[in-house]
Amino acid sequence: MSNNFSDEVLSRRTFAIISHPDAGKTTLTEKLLLFGGAIRDAGTVKGKKTGKFATSDWMEIEKQRGISVTSSVMQFDYKDARVNILDTPGHQDFSEDTYRTLTAVDSAVMIIDSAKGIEAQTLKLFKVCRMRGIPIFTFMNKLDRQGKSPLELLAELEEVMEIESYPMNWPIGMGKEFLGIYDRHHNRIEQFRVDESERFLDLNADGEIDGDHPMKQSSLYDQTLEEIMLLNEAGNEFSREKVANGTLTPVFFGSALANFGVQTFLESYLDFAPSPQARNSTEGKIDPLSEDFSGFIFKIQANMNPAHRDRIAFLRICSGKFERGMTINIPRTGKQLKLSQSTQFMADDRSTVDEAVSGDIIGLYDPGLYQIGDTLTVGKNKFQYEKLPQFTPELFVRVTAKNVMKQKHFHKGIQQLVQEGAIQLYKTVKTDEYLLGAVGQLQFEVFEHRMKNEYNAEVRMEGQGSKIARWIEGDVDESLSSSRSLLVTDRYDKKVFLFENDFALRWFQDKNPDVKLYNPMDMEQ
């Protein structure tokens, strides 16, 4: 393939934005899209009365609650780069979706609320990035509000996350006294709330303002110079290599809501973030610049267009070039399929895409043949990419249709929503009742809402509490099923015991040493 192809691949930057709910993730996404010219008017997530909703929160329940519960994908061009942003749900009940999304990116942007510091959910997602060796960029948000001191935030970041940090810029004041940021990377000061023409102040070789400038009168300026001197002498050194292997995080300060520090962050991010990386497969590492097309499906979303009852499979392209109309293999099933319907995303705006290259995320119309984790290849290639993380559900409900006449809608809705992977479906062996399993309660609420709105099927859910799910190797005597160790089958017809608690699990294992139990999560660590 031409140089043009390799230039295109190398211009891709594909990242996920991760954070705790309310840290400002969707707001930052909006502002980045604004710089890319992808949207003309950034809607704020909380702006309910204006009827404007954040572009990346498209599902009805997200609009009502003001939270993101599904990962959105957006693409825009900025300077010479093509950026693919995956905005992930911050709510912990949807961390499974986020974990899978992290397998499809080459870097991650972590947003921290400067008033709250590092919160539990951020830490959990951060550890997944560390485990995968994903480069991490940190944006300390909401500097226009009073928060923790920058030195305190850095110390917390290094201590809790066990990572080195390098501040690319440094705040001058905070809250009502926030004057701007001292940009170490570009050797300039970016002033807050001034005319565009005065926004940037160039610094001299010593890193100070030349001449007579009102900022020099502020004690905050002197304090910032002292802190910068401290960072230069005692702080970590910047290392591209450490950023690339995820052991040092560049830190940026700013305010996404006020759109301050966002452009500086974006330009620095594009300088240091990796282009598409090689991926592990059953045939070794696959080079993103290799000519043969391949990719994997990391998410399936039903009813992005409720009028059409469609299902979209999100595909990360890992090598070669996608061309609409091409024929691909699905090695898991041995089937071939012609890809005639494909889309690019701008949240709920979708346009048909004819070509895409390694690093891009595209949507494929799913006729019901794909599963999360499927690899797609061309020609004689039949390799498969690494398995995606599978979560063992902890909470269970019994689900039935409220209206017996709507059984058809009920079954169709369940089958389609279960394929998205957020909730899992089980059937009791003796009575054929439906049970749903999930990692968090909010997933059941979303399921109930979507069954009613998208499939016109109202459901009745009875909580079964938390259970310990263990799969069974080989066959098992169905008479071992009881209320404390309920035998069910999953949607692949594999038998699973749902134990009431740890005691019930241990008791069962003592009494039935021949029954081999396993947890799929343990096998993937």
Side-chain angles (χ1 to χ4, degrees):
M1 284 193 187
S2 62
N3 273 350
N4 194 18
F5 165 71
S6 53
D7 290 346
E8 273 195 63
V9 173
L10 296 173
S11 75
R12 272 23 184 202
R13 298 289 181 275
T14 302
F15 68 92
I17 298 191
I18 57 174
S19 78
H20 199 81
D22 269 351
K25 182 160 44 65
T26 305
T27 310
L28 181 68
T29 308
E30 290 279 313
K31 296 303 192 286
L32 292 173
L33 291 172
L34 203 55
F35 284 116
I39 45 178
R40 287 188 185 83
D41 189 7
T44 68
V45 187
K46 295 278 182 277
K48 295 286 168 287
K49 287 183 181 145
T50 62
K52 264 191 218 161
F53 297 107
T55 305
S56 59
D57 286 352
W58 54 264
M59 202 191 284
E60 192 58 40
I61 194 163
E62 299 183 315
K63 291 175 182 177
Q64 288 176 12
R65 285 171 172 250
I67 56 168
S68 303
V69 294
T70 55
S71 303
S72 309
V73 184
M74 285 138 290
Q75 189 181 63
F76 67 88
D77 293 322
Y78 188 79
K79 297 198 170 168
D80 297 330
R82 173 155 289 185
V83 183
N84 290 289
I85 304 181
L86 284 81
D87 177 22
T88 62
H91 198 287
Q92 64 180 20
D93 285 7
F94 289 85
S95 50
E96 189 169 354
D97 194 34
T98 303
Y99 281 20
R100 291 201 195 109
T101 297
L102 289 173
T103 64
V105 298
D106 301 300
S107 55
V109 171
M110 175 170 66
I111 302 182
I112 292 172
D113 181 329
S114 60
K116 294 176 180 167
I118 292 155
E119 296 171 90
Q121 183 59 12
T122 321
L123 180 59
K124 210 164 149 190
L125 295 172
F126 174 85
K127 284 183 168 164
V128 175
C129 294
R130 278 299 304 269
M131 200 170 74
R132 301 186 63 83
I134 298 174
I136 301 155
F137 295 77
T138 303
F139 189 84
M140 297 285 185
N141 194 20
K142 306 186 183 180
L143 260 289
D144 51 337
R145 298 183 192 176
Q146 209 54 44
K148 296 183 176 186
S149 81
L151 285 167
E152 197 183 339
L153 287 166
L154 275 198
E156 187 181 356
L157 182 66
E158 298 211 346
E159 203 175 305
V160 177
M161 304 293 205
E162 295 173 350
I163 192 172
E164 290 182 24
S165 67
Y166 182 89
M168 303 293 274
N169 58 32
W170 197 250
I172 305 168
M174 183 184 284
K176 288 197 172 85
E177 292 189 312
F178 182 48
L179 301 181
I181 48 180
Y182 183 108
D183 188 340
R184 294 173 83 196
H185 181 50
H186 295 104
N187 198 36
R188 66 188 183 189
I189 284 174
E190 187 173 349
Q191 298 189 87
F192 186 51
R193 294 211 171 104
V194 294
D195 287 346
E196 187 58 35
S197 57
E198 296 171 23
R199 191 166 130 209
F200 294 111
L201 278 176
D202 287 330
L203 300 172
N204 61 25
D206 298 326
E208 296 183 25
I209 299 172
D210 272 333
D212 196 20
H213 189 279
M215 185 168 291
K216 291 173 90 167
Q217 312 307 313
S218 167
S219 60
L220 292 170
Y221 171 70
D222 295 333
Q223 185 189 330
T224 301
L225 289 184
E226 280 171 31
E227 289 172 347
I228 292 292
M229 198 185 297
L230 176 70
L231 291 174
N232 291 342
E233 286 173 13
N236 297 312
E237 280 186 33
F238 186 77
S239 154
R240 261 185 190 272
E241 197 181 323
K242 284 185 172 179
V243 172
N245 62 27
T247 54
L248 179 140
T249 177
V251 179
F252 301 83
F253 291 85
S255 163
L257 196 61
N259 202 357
F260 184 77
V262 177
Q263 189 173 1
T264 300
F265 157 72
L266 176 60
E267 290 176 1
S268 304
Y269 167 79
L270 295 176
D271 273 353
F272 297 107
S275 56
Q277 300 293 291
R279 306 257 154 184
N280 293 326
S281 80
T282 48
E283 287 181 9
K285 280 196 181 292
I286 305 294
D287 183 348
L289 295 174
S290 78
E291 299 196 356
D292 287 345
F293 166 83
S294 71
F296 65 89
I297 286 164
F298 62 94
K299 173 185 171 69
I300 292 173
Q301 180 76 54
N303 300 330
M304 284 186 78
N305 180 349
H308 293 157
R309 289 270 173 271
D310 62 350
R311 281 222 319 258
I312 298 291
F314 288 65
L315 177 88
R316 156 74 195 224
I317 303 175
C318 302
S319 67
K321 190 172 196 171
F322 162 83
E323 291 173 326
R324 196 157 65 92
M326 72 195 301
T327 298
I328 53 95
N329 313 312
I330 308 174
R332 175 182 58 84
T333 59
K335 288 191 170 142
Q336 287 201 317
L337 190 64
K338 189 174 179 184
L339 300 181
S340 49
Q341 286 183 282
S342 50
T343 58
Q344 240 168 347
F345 299 98
M346 190 28 242
D348 56 352
D349 278 351
R350 293 188 287 171
S351 55
T352 297
V353 58
D354 293 318
E355 289 185 351
V357 299
S358 314
D360 284 335
I361 309 284
I362 60 169
L364 301 174
Y365 173 73
D366 177 14
L369 292 177
Y370 300 129
Q371 276 180 20
I372 287 174
D374 272 353
T375 295
L376 307 189
T377 62
V378 290
K380 293 184 176 152
N381 293 323
K382 297 283 160 55
F383 62 80
Q384 296 194 45
Y385 284 107
E386 284 182 309
K387 276 188 164 177
L388 296 193
Q390 272 281 302
F391 280 51
T392 307
E394 291 157 23
L395 290 178
F396 293 83
V397 295
R398 180 178 278 114
V399 62
T400 50
K402 270 190 186 171
N403 182 346
V404 187
M405 306 299 286
K406 294 267 177 77
Q407 285 289 14
K408 200 175 164 189
H409 293 255
F410 172 73
H411 287 288
K412 185 178 179 183
I414 279 196
Q415 295 305 334
Q416 290 206 354
L417 293 182
V418 160
Q419 276 185 309
E420 292 182 9
I423 46 171
Q424 294 184 27
L425 178 66
Y426 302 90
K427 245 163 125 174
T428 55
V429 166
K430 288 180 175 173
T431 51
D432 264 2
E433 290 175 292
Y434 276 169
L435 294 181
L436 297 178
V439 178
Q441 182 61 36
L442 185 57
Q443 285 169 331
F444 294 134
E445 292 173 33
V446 171
F447 169 80
E448 184 177 17
H449 179 95
R450 291 184 66 190
M451 283 291 281
K452 184 180 175 184
N453 282 13
E454 295 171 21
Y455 296 95
N456 194 20
E458 290 196 54
V459 296
R460 186 177 286 109
M461 293 197 283
E462 296 166 61
Q464 304 296 298
S466 57
K467 308 270 183 209
I468 299 168
R470 289 294 178 268
W471 275 250
I472 299 151
E473 269 180 40
D475 210 10
V476 67
D477 184 350
E478 291 182 6
S479 67
L480 293 175
S481 181
S482 70
S483 59
R484 299 184 62 195
S485 51
L486 185 64
L487 185 60
V488 298
T489 54
D490 67 13
R491 69 188 181 103
Y492 306 112
D493 285 329
K494 288 185 179 154
K495 290 202 165 89
V496 186
F497 270 117
L498 303 181
F499 295 103
E500 198 171 43
N501 48 32
D502 268 331
F503 176 77
L505 168 60
R506 285 197 303 274
W507 188 86
F508 181 91
Q509 284 177 312
D510 289 346
K511 293 280 182 238
N512 306 284
D514 299 342
V515 179
K516 296 274 180 284
L517 301 174
Y518 69 94
N519 177 358
M521 276 286 284
D522 297 339
M523 300 172 78
E524 283 161 18
Q525 296 301 316

